[in-house]
Amino acid sequence: MSRFQEETATDEEIAAEAALYAPFTNAVRELVDVTIRTEVEPDEVRAAQVEVEAIVERLRKKQMPGAYGVRFRPDGSRGRNWGNAVMGLRNPIAPPLDVRTDGEGRAWSDFHLGAAYEGPPGLVHGGVISLLLDQVLGHAVSSSGRPGMTGTLTIVYRQGTPLGGLRCEAWVDRREGIKTWGKGRMLNADGEVTAEAEGIFILPKWARNLDRFRAAAEASEAGFDLE
Amino acid sequence: MSRFQEETATDEEIAAEAALYAPFTNAVRELVDVTIRTEVEPDEVRAAQVEVEAIVERLRKKQMPGAYGVRFRPDGSRGRNWGNAVMGLRNPIAPPLDVRTDGEGRAWSDFHLGAAYEGPPGLVHGGVISLLLDQVLGHAVSSSGRPGMTGTLTIVYRQGTPLGGLRCEAWVDRREGIKTWGKGRMLNADGEVTAEAEGIFILPKWARNLDRFRAAAEASEAGFDLE
């Protein structure tokens, strides 16, 4: 199983990796979308399958033993979470969300959700809404100076959220001991609130016990991308 | 935008489509996994990207204008939700979950989550847990005889959920008017509860107002796969 790992790559190496993997992952995101939507002839689907299987075989010749994990700089200045289900630069199921923070407990993201995120017809899956809000709330909490693992998450659905352009916003509501309360909401393209969220985030044990990571948590401005 | 559509395919046609699209979608799921994990040389990644882009271009030559939607039989006996983010046979981001129901308000699913569903290192993303529990709770509610849109969803995280073999269980707790309360939990491979869920599900307006869909809802044993 993957664990928190120390980042061994330099800035230049990370930039080169991003330039390689971001467009490849975007191509796979397009493939995910068209896998749902294509209406070409069966023979063309079968031909595509054979080709995809061949690509998979080649790419699997050298691969990590498990999931991507999270890679931290020795100075704790940054966490690289490229496998993350919501934000991962290398994860095709991540929309991906580019979450912005103000360093004082506010986080937000503007993004687009296509066919892959559907629940009710034409609408975002209710569980996808909770997935994204969990992530953005976590960032708000991290950006307040302390990382947090989700303890409790409550989502109230106000109306259907249409697929398309959307926005998530989150902020820190209050803090008590190892707990931080975050609140947030999902907005549709017209700026109407479609869902609201409240989460209780718990300071993880490693951040309480390990000096290095505690220092990292305190130093982090952009958040730890823990989720 | 997609809407509820009437199913026009016969059983035989649906079976033929499933035999075509299920293995293709599984191949794309493998590609999603290895996109995160591959460590082959950069040139091989670039070559794979060019090939994936070419496949996408061919598959896009004929495609649905939007998302997949949900297709209902005229007799209301079944809904086909192959684009669904959690269960969709044609959706590569769906694990997919095969949700079983007893027709009396209980639902469960055994499944495997790989690298694409990661949040904290080696662990399932907390938001993915809420995504899956939302779906399984919705099935429990549907299997009790009435479909439901999620109104409120609360997840309590008890411990980290390791990637790998997992199980979700859900059941109807009680019902009042148009509201149904569902409860559920996520279990790790050792059968320990890692997260608990409670949801309030609201009978959708179309099911209250449209005779055809009301009849469908009442007739449905397997649930409407609304989410």
Side-chain angles (χ1 to χ4, degrees), chain A residues 42-101:
Chain A
D43 278 350
E44 294 185 65
V45 175
R46 285 184 204 103
Q49 181 186 329
V50 169
E51 289 178 46
V52 170
E53 286 169 349
I55 296 168
V56 169
E57 194 179 333
R58 276 157 35 210
L59 295 176
R60 285 223 189 277
K61 279 185 180 153
K62 191 176 172 200
Q63 66 178 4
M64 299 162 207
Y68 190 89
V70 179
R71 299 166 193 200
F72 280 98
R73 287 289 178 79
D75 67 358
S77 63
R78 236 178 109 178
R80 179 151 62 125
N81 62 348
W82 286 5
N84 185 280
V86 175
M87 304 186 61
L89 179 146
R90 287 187 60 172
N91 189 336
I93 81 167
L97 254 58
D98 176 18
V99 183
R100 306 299 176 95
T101 54

Side-chain angles (χ1 to χ4, degrees), chain A residues 1-4 20-21 23-25 27-28 30-40 42 45-49 51-53 55-56 58-60 62-70 83-86 90-93 115-123 125-128 130-131 134-135 149-157 162-163 226-227, chain B residues 1-4 20-21 23-25 27-28 30-40 42 44-49 51-53 55-56 58-60 62-70 83-86 90-93 115-122 125-128 130-131 134-135 149-157 162-163 226-227:
Chain A
M1 188 189 305
S2 304
R3 296 287 175 195
F4 287 96
L20 176 68
Y21 289 117
F24 174 53
T25 308
V28 178
E30 290 290 314
L31 182 60
V32 164
D33 180 81
V34 79
T35 296
I36 301 166
R37 296 171 55 201
T38 191
E39 294 179 317
V40 298
V45 175
R46 285 184 204 103
Q49 181 186 329
E51 289 178 46
V52 170
E53 286 169 349
I55 296 168
V56 169
R58 276 157 35 210
L59 295 176
R60 285 223 189 277
K62 191 176 172 200
Q63 66 178 4
M64 299 162 207
Y68 190 89
V70 179
N84 185 280
V86 175
R90 287 187 60 172
N91 189 336
I93 81 167
Y117 304 95
E118 191 179 38
L123 301 178
H125 193 296
V128 169
S130 67
L131 166 65
D134 175 54
Q135 181 75 43
M149 303 278 287
T150 317
T152 303
L153 180 70
T154 301
I155 310 288
V156 178
Y157 298 91
L163 293 168
L226 273 172
E227 290 277 328
Chain B
M1 188 189 302
S2 304
R3 296 287 176 194
F4 287 97
L20 176 68
Y21 290 117
F24 174 53
T25 308
V28 179
E30 290 290 315
L31 181 60
V32 165
D33 180 82
V34 80
T35 296
I36 301 166
R37 295 171 56 203
T38 191
E39 294 179 319
V40 298
E44 296 186 64
V45 175
R46 285 184 203 105
Q49 181 186 330
E51 289 179 46
V52 169
E53 286 169 348
I55 296 168
V56 169
R58 277 158 36 210
L59 296 176
R60 284 223 189 277
K62 192 177 171 197
Q63 65 179 3
M64 300 162 206
Y68 191 88
V70 180
N84 184 279
V86 175
R90 287 187 60 174
N91 189 337
I93 81 167
Y117 304 96
E118 190 178 39
H125 193 296
V128 169
S130 67
L131 166 65
D134 175 54
Q135 182 75 42
M149 303 279 286
T150 316
T152 303
L153 180 69
T154 301
I155 310 288
V156 179
Y157 297 91
L163 293 168
L226 273 173
E227 292 276 332

